[in-house]
């Protein structure tokens, strides 16, 4: 029972893969790189391959099939990086490995608190041994109204987390959830724009909500509004957003995601000219906290996706019912 694992990170995944594979009786072929035509031969002899978010296109899928691969599992929730049609046409099954919403939900509340307490500026000052107070006066969450847009797995957990802080919570989703109603009031989106002191985004990116936050919606918001985005960068029009930071309409922001981050995040670019002007500008503002799309990144997340992706391969190879199969 052999599985080829691509993109196996040596610093946090490798030891776990070895430990769990031993428990499950699986032989491993470990590769630190993304699957490409020049390393696809590593899949020979494996009925299952294990990948992350790199593109798995039709050419690669055909090559996997020619090597005897029958099942591709991705250590992610999303699987839009895999050409499902090509996989289906080749008779290859695909599975994902969902992880819990708490990591992102906790991180969201952290960004909200850091934004309203000006923590970016505080850390900047203490790093320089500047222990002054002027300009660092914050706000208390219990005095604020938070608007949560998207109350799926993560948004609903954010609402639940916020219930402990005593703030007023408003929510908007295309579909309302009963359990959210005990902690938040569902309202039309326009009321969130008009009444929220803090707005946090938790929807997937779709054609309908591309640039949901733009010059028009920003104009409807309260002066000094705080925006937190741990969902997808393109939910926000960066140009309109930067202008609103510059003119003070937006008071603070916490951004775990930005437009056009693909290809930048998770690589070391410290000696490069940054090819994302908006990101360079956003990073320069003392009231904007930027992190590199890592709200999900916890010990629990790594353990879950490594273990479940291997369990899923084992179930496939044993011909048993597999809750992680998606096609
Ligand atoms: P989910 O699928 O459980 O929930 C999404 C919710 O958004 C659903 O309730 C849906 O009805 C709602 N929705 C969809 N379109 C909408 C619209 N136009 N207006 C209002 N509501 C809308 O998704 P989940 O797991 O809660 O993820 C939410 C977001 O978080 C996604 O964008 C996802 O990509 C992102 N994410 C970010 C991570 C990070 O590390 N920063 C990690 C994991 C997910």
């Amino acid at each position: 029972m052999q599985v080829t694992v691509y993109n196996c990170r040596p610093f946090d995944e490798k030891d776990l893969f070895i430990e769990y594979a031993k428990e499950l009786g699986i032989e491993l072929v470990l590769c630190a790189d993304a699957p490409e035509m020049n390393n696809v031969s590593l899949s020979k002899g494996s009925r299952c391959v294990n990948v992350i978010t790199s593109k798995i296109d039709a050419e690669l899928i055909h090559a996997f099939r020619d090597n005897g691969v029958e099942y591709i599992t991705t250590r992610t929730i999303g699987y839009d990086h895999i050409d499902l049609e090509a996989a289906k046409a080749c008779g290859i099954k695909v599975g994902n490995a969902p992880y819990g919403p708490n990591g992102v939900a906790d991180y969201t509340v952290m960004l909200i608190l850091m934004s309203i307490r000006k923590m970016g500026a505080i850390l900047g000052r203490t790093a320089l041994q500047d222990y002054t107070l002027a300009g660092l006066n914050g706000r208390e969450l219990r005095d604020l109204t938070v608007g949560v847009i998207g109350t799926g797995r993560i948004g609903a957990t954010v609402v639940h987390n916020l219930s402990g802080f005593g703030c007023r919570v408003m929510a908007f989703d295309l579909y309302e959830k009963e359990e959210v109603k005990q902690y938040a009031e569902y309202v039309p989106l326009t009321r969130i724009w008009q009444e929220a002191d803090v707005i946090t985004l938790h929807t997937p990116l779709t054609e309908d909500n591309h640039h949901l936050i733009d010059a028009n919606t920003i104009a409807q918001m309260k002066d000094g509004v705080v925006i937190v985005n741990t969902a997808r960068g393109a939910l926000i029009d960066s140009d309109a957003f930067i202008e609103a930071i510059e003119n003070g309409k937006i008071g603070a922001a916490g951004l775990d995601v930005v437009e056009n981050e693909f290809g930048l995040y998770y690589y070391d670019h410290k000696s490069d000219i940054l090819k994302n002007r908006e990101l360079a500008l956003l990073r320069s503002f003392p009231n904007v906290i930027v992190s590199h799309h890592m709200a999900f990144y916890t010990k629990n997340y790594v353990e879950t996706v490594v273990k479940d992706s291997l369990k899923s391969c084992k179930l496939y190879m044993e011909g048993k019912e597999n809750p992680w199969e998606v096609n």
Side-chain angles (χ1 to χ4, degrees), residues 106-149:
D106 290 0
Y107 199 94
T108 301
V109 174
M110 178 185 77
L111 285 181
I112 292 174
L113 290 168
M114 287 182 82
S115 299
I116 64 173
R117 296 306 299 266
K118 305 187 177 171
M119 190 48 81
I122 293 171
L123 292 174
R125 281 196 205 177
T126 50
L128 298 170
Q129 301 190 65
D130 172 354
Y131 303 125
T132 56
L133 282 177
L136 296 182
N137 201 352
R139 288 187 288 172
E140 295 178 27
L141 200 39
R142 55 172 292 160
D143 297 331
L144 304 179
T145 296
V146 181
V148 178
I149 300 180

Side-chain angles (χ1 to χ4, degrees), residues 23-45:
E23 272 174 29
L24 296 166
I26 292 174
E27 302 270 308
L28 291 176
V29 177
L30 297 177
C31 173
D33 300 319
E36 286 179 18
M37 291 309 288
N38 64 16
N39 62 20
V40 76
S41 61
L42 292 173
S43 67
K44 270 188 197 145

